[in-house]
Amino acid sequence: DLQFAANAMIATKEEVIYILDNENSRILRLNPADSFEPVVIGEVPEEHEPDLSNFFITEGGTIYVTDFHQRKVLAIRPGDEDFTEVLKCPGALRPTAVLVQDRSLYV
């Protein structure tokens, strides 16, 4: 049984639900057409001490997630197994939300 604590959720137009599980530092996918069992899409290793606070999914399936504690924006692309860092906020700035529009990243 997969346990999680939802911090944020997104539903796509295909009725797939993505869940930001901050307690376990991961993104889950729930596709009711396939199964009601959530599937882990990506997980940030605990040694990075992540504090995932918000996320966004592009139409192409790339998931961007903010890491408030580390002051980073991470991304995982379809088929990838690990998140990659796409932005480190300068100075004391911390990302609280993320949006991608017209190939531009807004934090």
Side-chain angles (χ1 to χ4, degrees), residues 63-65 73-77 80 82-87:
I63 301 171
Y64 293 87
V65 62
V73 175
L74 308 171
I76 189 166
R77 290 164 181 76
D80 287 355
D82 297 315
F83 282 94
T84 57
E85 181 182 322
V86 293
L87 176 72

Side-chain angles (χ1 to χ4, degrees), residues 67-72 87-96 107:
D67 184 338
F68 187 81
H69 180 71
Q70 297 295 325
R71 301 183 355 254
K72 296 178 182 177
L87 176 72
K88 173 86 174 182
C89 292
L93 296 177
R94 297 185 183 274
T96 57
V107 180

Side-chain angles (χ1 to χ4, degrees), residues 26-41:
R26 61 190 178 185
I27 304 286
L28 306 172
R29 180 177 177 227
L30 176 65
N31 187 349
D34 294 339
S35 167
F36 283 103
E37 187 70 27
V39 176
V40 177
I41 297 298

Side-chain angles (χ1 to χ4, degrees), residues 46-62:
E46 285 300 315
E47 63 264 16
H48 294 222
E49 299 178 13
D51 181 14
L52 309 181
S53 57
N54 201 323
F55 72 124
F56 183 85
I57 303 170
T58 66
E59 286 194 28
T62 299

